[in-house]
Amino acid sequence: METTDTLLRRFEQLNDVGTALSQERRIDRLLERILLAAKAITRAEGGTLYRLTPDDQALRFEIVHNDKLGIALGGASGQPITGKFHDLPLRLPDGTPNHHMVAAYAANTGRTVNVPDAYVAEGFDFTGTRRFDESTGYRSRSFLTVPMKNHEGDLIGVLQLLNALDPASGQVLAFTPADQRLAESLASQAAVALTNQQLLAQLE
């Protein structure tokens, strides 16, 4: 059970991150800060940040991080995202919304999805996750997937966090309601900061 003091410290950390995001001018560094901050605040082992493609038809991998596997792709890392990380279509070939993939579902519905264990979850297709685990020996378990919307309600991207870790034992846990609230608050701040930087870049 998380103590009140610990939770307050995490909310203070969230406030500090919000200030830092508003001061970052480079979009690649801003994206990196968003994902790293979300991982730190929710104690996640890994995470992915998606952005809408220019035609608004798919989600594109912008940053992928996993501490256990030593993966740091996209963002300010300078390492391009290639290979298995394909765009996630927001619609199926028949034109209906893609609700099979959890990130696409979050984008289409505007709802956060908290999955305690992907291997027993129903309603979503985690085939790609299982293939990734088989090829790396990793075990993807808990997922927290948050749509990033700006102050006008426009979808900017999706923040997905993987494997919440117990700070004492290192055991993989489900993301808690507090984790979800913190991630949703950060995603909202991040979407506004990203929108502002995109507008500045267009003006320049």
Side-chain angles (χ1 to χ4, degrees), residues 16-200:
D16 292 342
V17 168
T19 302
L21 292 181
S22 66
Q23 295 172 348
E24 183 57 68
R25 294 292 175 260
R26 277 182 51 181
I27 286 181
D28 59 344
R29 288 182 181 171
L30 177 58
L31 294 170
E32 188 100 356
R33 278 179 178 252
I34 291 167
L35 183 58
L36 293 179
K39 282 176 67 263
I41 288 173
T42 60
R43 303 162 180 154
E45 187 170 58
T48 301
L49 194 150
Y50 304 89
R51 288 174 70 191
L52 280 174
T53 53
D55 61 5
D56 295 341
Q57 296 301 305
L59 294 174
R60 178 161 296 160
F61 287 85
E62 288 287 347
I63 309 179
V64 178
H65 270 249
N66 188 293
D67 297 337
K68 187 171 184 178
L69 295 175
I71 294 174
L73 303 175
S77 71
Q79 298 298 317
I81 295 179
T82 57
K84 303 174 184 178
F85 300 101
H86 304 295
D87 292 352
L88 304 182
L90 293 181
R91 296 197 170 274
L92 299 174
D94 63 4
T96 59
N98 179 6
H99 286 174
H100 299 296
M101 296 179 176
V102 65
Y105 176 89
N108 282 322
T109 64
R111 299 174 190 161
T112 297
V113 183
N114 191 336
V115 176
D117 190 337
Y119 278 70
V120 297
E122 297 180 356
F124 295 112
D125 182 0
F126 282 103
T127 305
T129 297
R130 293 191 180 97
R131 281 201 300 264
F132 177 82
D133 287 355
E134 289 171 4
S135 67
T136 60
Y138 189 66
R139 175 65 161 83
S140 303
R141 181 184 167 190
S142 55
F143 282 79
L144 182 61
T145 308
V146 186
M148 295 170 57
K149 292 185 174 183
N150 64 16
H151 50 290
E152 295 181 348
D154 298 323
L155 182 75
I156 303 300
V158 172
L159 178 64
Q160 187 169 74
L161 300 164
L162 170 65
N163 284 4
L165 299 178
D166 183 294
S169 67
Q171 179 184 356
V172 176
L173 307 172
F175 288 95
T176 66
D179 291 332
Q180 182 170 326
R181 289 194 299 274
L182 287 162
E184 287 171 342
S185 180
L186 174 60
S188 178
Q189 293 181 45
V192 172
L194 189 53
T195 298
N196 290 341
Q197 287 312 308
Q198 288 173 330
L199 290 172
L200 283 174

